[in-house]
Amino acid sequence: IRTAQTLTGFVSFMGRASAERMVAEMEGKTYRGCDLRVGWGKAVKLPAKPIWPIDTDDFPDRPAVGVPGTMPSTQGGYREEVEVQYPVNARVMYVIDRLAKYVVDNGKLFEEKVLEKERGNEEFNFLFDYKSPNHRYYKWRVFSLTNGDTLEAWATETFVMNDARWIPPNPKRRPVYTGKESDASKEPTDPDSLKPGDREDFEELLQTLTLERSDIQEGMMFALEHADSAKEVANILTDALTLSDTPVTMKVARLFLMSDILHNCGAPVKNASAYRIEFQQKLPRVFESLEKTLKDVDSRITREAFKKRVAAVLTAWGDWFLFGEEFLKGLELTFLRGEAAK
């Protein structure tokens, strides 16, 4: 950045393609009166997961969340001191913790969808009451998780964010939520049907789905946004996954989308847990279709790559404790049934 004096900043990207696009788009641009000169720096060690930028352009009255600042006020101190307090209601604390984790994992888009969907839901009032202790707890949680802390252990040193001095809560005094943390074991309520336009949008998304992370995330966000129609969404995706003569890459992309939805079925979104039940009923049929696809693949390299990707999905489901070990082993045996016969 060039002004009266030259200032330099460094930004790392999770993928080279994103970095190349940024260099092409920002070189020579002017930002807040500064001429940008963009070039390449040294490679750095990447974090285990991206630290998503969270801004407030779409919500102008809302304070920034999870963005640290270090500028003191004109009085030489900080505008205020924020002592983070645990929510009085342990259930609300659980919802805030889970939402903060999903926002850190999935980025601003996920948070925006929750803001749109849960407006008026008392359990999510903390998102809209910016001055409430619960909103401040949420802001701290996002900041803390973004910086590598966990839900059980975190740094207790004070820090500066949004021109305020923040004091984290004492981990030893964290309330314990004793209620059921998931409704996954319950039968979902009768789902609402998708609107015709929404159904067409989802079917079109599946027809053009690729292995790009942005495509998978778009499909996952659609599923969460329409979780009230979990049964119909699951049926559409299952039908698409079991179509014959579908290219291997398309099959894998749709399987990855199903896996991503399952990974997020614990999100604090109404009826999201229904996806685990819906997909579990359909997975034997899906893996029978995958077995037929594997049998029809002529290329040894393509066949081995296909097997590795399906195996990776099954391993992930086991690591996430989505299904029982015997159920997952049955899916694996179904998929490799043709290979064993050779």
Side-chain angles (χ1 to χ4, degrees):
I1 302 175
R2 182 176 299 164
T3 55
Q5 297 179 338
T6 299
L7 300 176
T8 303
F10 296 89
V11 180
S12 61
F13 290 81
M14 298 299 287
R16 184 176 180 85
S18 298
E20 291 175 343
R21 186 167 63 251
M22 187 280 295
V23 170
E25 293 179 358
M26 299 305 294
E27 169 63 23
K29 295 291 181 64
T30 299
Y31 178 73
R32 295 186 178 180
C34 301
D35 296 331
L36 301 183
R37 299 289 180 265
V38 184
W40 293 95
K42 294 181 179 179
V44 297
K45 184 178 179 180
L46 294 176
K49 54 188 175 184
I51 300 174
W52 298 95
I54 303 177
D55 55 51
T56 59
D57 293 344
D58 298 328
F59 305 93
D61 297 328
R62 178 178 170 218
V65 175
V67 183
T70 57
M71 185 178 293
S73 69
T74 55
Q75 285 77 24
Y78 301 106
R79 295 186 190 278
E80 63 177 324
E81 183 173 273
V82 179
E83 184 174 356
V84 180
Q85 301 174 5
Y86 291 111
V88 175
N89 186 313
R91 165 65 187 175
V92 172
M93 186 191 73
Y94 170 75
V95 171
I96 294 176
D97 287 351
R98 297 291 293 177
L99 176 61
K101 187 177 187 305
Y102 278 100
V103 167
V104 172
D105 288 345
N106 297 290
K108 178 187 174 185
L109 179 61
F110 182 88
E111 186 187 48
E112 290 179 355
K113 292 294 185 184
V114 174
L115 281 164
E116 293 173 7
K117 186 175 182 61
E118 303 300 340
R119 187 176 295 275
N121 184 341
E122 291 186 3
E123 204 164 50
F124 288 84
N125 279 349
F126 65 88
L127 285 174
F128 307 97
D129 187 358
Y130 310 135
K131 296 182 180 180
S132 69
N134 286 352
H135 184 78
R136 290 178 171 182
Y137 176 82
Y138 170 66
K139 288 178 66 176
W140 164 74
R141 263 303 187 196
V142 173
F143 177 88
S144 173
L145 293 171
T146 298
N147 284 279
D149 294 337
T150 69
L151 292 175
E152 292 76 29
W154 54 83
T156 56
E157 295 82 4
T158 60
F159 61 94
V160 178
M161 178 170 66
N162 304 136
D163 205 6
R165 182 172 176 267
W166 290 67
I167 305 173
N170 186 340
K172 296 180 180 179
R173 297 180 180 177
R174 179 174 180 247
V176 177
Y177 176 61
T178 57
K180 295 181 179 179
E181 296 185 348
S182 172
D183 291 328
S185 61
K186 299 178 183 178
E187 284 294 323
T189 56
D190 291 335
D192 297 329
S193 296
L194 286 172
K195 295 179 180 178
D198 291 335
R199 184 185 179 94
E200 291 175 5
D201 289 344
F202 190 51
E203 290 175 342
E204 182 178 352
L205 183 151
L206 293 176
Q207 290 171 6
T208 59
L209 192 67
T210 71
L211 291 171
E212 289 291 328
R213 178 61 194 158
S214 58
D215 282 4
I216 303 296
Q217 187 176 38
E218 182 182 358
M220 183 271 293
M221 291 307 304
F222 179 95
L224 290 185
E225 188 176 357
H226 297 85
D228 286 339
S229 305
K231 187 179 185 69
E232 188 169 0
V233 171
N235 284 336
I236 294 171
L237 179 52
T238 300
D239 289 345
L241 241 174
T242 54
L243 285 173
S244 58
D245 301 325
T246 303
V248 171
T249 303
M250 181 68 77
K251 282 260 189 183
V252 173
R254 292 170 179 171
L255 180 64
F256 281 4
L257 173 56
M258 179 180 285
S259 182
D260 216 39
I261 295 171
L262 283 167
H263 181 56
N264 289 281
C265 67
V269 176
K270 182 181 178 183
N271 210 46
S273 61
Y275 280 113
R276 189 184 70 84
I277 296 173
E278 293 297 338
F279 282 134
Q280 184 170 11
Q281 297 170 352
K282 298 168 176 59
L283 280 173
R285 173 188 165 199
V286 168
F287 274 75
E288 286 178 0
S289 175
L290 294 176
E291 187 261 338
K292 292 177 182 177
T293 300
L294 179 64
K295 189 183 299 184
D296 293 339
V297 174
D298 295 326
S299 168
R300 182 181 64 83
I301 295 177
T302 302
R303 186 167 58 251
E304 291 303 314
F306 185 35
K307 286 164 62 177
K308 285 182 179 179
R309 282 172 161 167
V310 174
V313 169
L314 289 171
T315 299
W317 291 350
D319 292 342
W320 300 338
F321 300 102
L322 285 169
F323 309 112
E325 185 177 346
E326 291 185 3
F327 179 77
L328 292 174
K329 188 64 178 178
L331 296 179
E332 180 184 14
L333 292 174
T334 297
F335 176 59
L336 298 175
R337 185 167 49 199
E339 294 288 290
K342 290 182 179 181

